[in-house]
Amino acid sequence: MSGETSPKIAVYPGSFDPITLGHLNIIRRASRIFDKVYVCVMVNSAKKYMFSLEERLDFISRAACRFQNVEVEHSEKLVVEYAKEKNANVIIRGLRAVSDFDSEFQMALTNSKIEPSVETMFLASGESYTYLSSTVVKEMAKYGADLGKFVPWEIIDDIEKKIKNRG
Ligand code: ADP
């Protein structure tokens, strides 16, 4: 038996439209559990996003560059296929409230049917972020609220600019 263990690799998929402090909290905690974490912006042509793929990738990269073992990518594939491509056997999702549970559970079961070797692991939302979503951020930004409590400071100006330009 060799003493070598394979690196623990996880994928954290999402829309991140835009990344919030809740997402960043999950990324930070996952980066402590796993050797490598791929944060993957999933591209879904049926969904309407406020921020372009490039903007979302740039926002996450700037906010998460402090974590050495975190990489930011995007994919148009099924998340389990992307995970296999990365040799990741864990998909991380964040759970905020009961309202997240049904759809997250359904997705986890579906993914395990497609690819039983990839597990979904749920991290409970940090207690200060259970109310926080990208939708709340976009709504607050429209009303000119202070975004410092909601999103990483590195991206506040960009979000405000975007909202202003959209009128
Ligand atoms: P998706 O469209 O895939 O739900 P999101 O960007 O909305 O993409 O969310 C990505 C993941 O992050 C999901 O698992 C979601 O439950 C989780 N998440 C979102 N906001 C928070 C938060 N405030 N705290 C913890 N997890 C969160």
Side-chain angles (χ1 to χ4, degrees):
M1 202 171 76
S2 97
E4 278 184 31
T5 53
S6 44
K8 290 182 285 174
I9 305 172
V11 166
Y12 178 35
S15 306
F16 306 105
D17 187 39
I19 183 171
T20 69
L21 289 177
H23 292 128
L24 195 62
N25 175 267
I26 299 284
I27 294 170
R28 179 177 57 76
R29 288 158 58 206
S31 78
R32 291 188 189 148
I33 302 171
F34 294 94
D35 296 312
K36 181 106 199 168
V37 177
Y38 291 95
V39 178
C40 187
V41 178
M42 302 310 292
V43 181
N44 179 346
S45 53
K47 276 195 178 179
K48 278 249 170 279
Y49 303 106
M50 174 177 279
F51 297 94
S52 69
L53 174 62
E54 289 70 28
E55 285 170 322
R56 286 178 285 148
L57 287 167
D58 174 54
F59 291 171
I60 306 168
S61 302
R62 281 195 273 145
C65 63
R66 68 192 88 159
F67 308 117
Q68 307 256 310
N69 59 343
V70 171
E71 261 186 59
V72 185
E73 298 194 339
H74 73 279
S75 175
E76 290 180 26
K77 296 182 180 158
L78 283 174
V79 67
V80 282
E81 278 173 17
Y82 172 78
K84 275 180 68 184
E85 195 180 287
K86 294 292 165 191
N87 285 323
N89 53 7
V90 174
I91 293 169
I92 295 168
R93 296 287 288 177
L95 270 189
R96 281 161 294 190
V98 185
S99 51
D100 276 342
F101 184 79
D102 273 354
S103 58
E104 291 291 341
F105 194 54
Q106 188 180 29
M107 196 154 44
L109 289 179
T110 309
N111 283 335
S112 79
K113 278 268 182 253
I114 304 171
E115 188 47 66
S117 67
V118 178
E119 290 284 355
T120 298
M121 186 183 277
F122 294 108
L123 293 186
S125 170
E127 66 174 333
S128 334
Y129 307 118
T130 48
Y131 68 93
L132 189 54
S133 67
S134 300
T135 308
V136 163
V137 167
K138 287 177 276 197
E139 205 53 31
M140 290 301 110
K142 277 186 207 158
Y143 291 99
D146 174 9
L147 298 184
K149 289 193 176 74
F150 307 134
V151 299
W153 63 267
E154 294 92 338
I155 67 169
I156 293 176
D157 282 355
D158 298 86
I159 294 179
E160 286 176 347
K161 245 182 247 159
K162 179 96 178 189
I163 300 278
K164 222 184 228 167
N165 290 342
R166 284 167 63 107

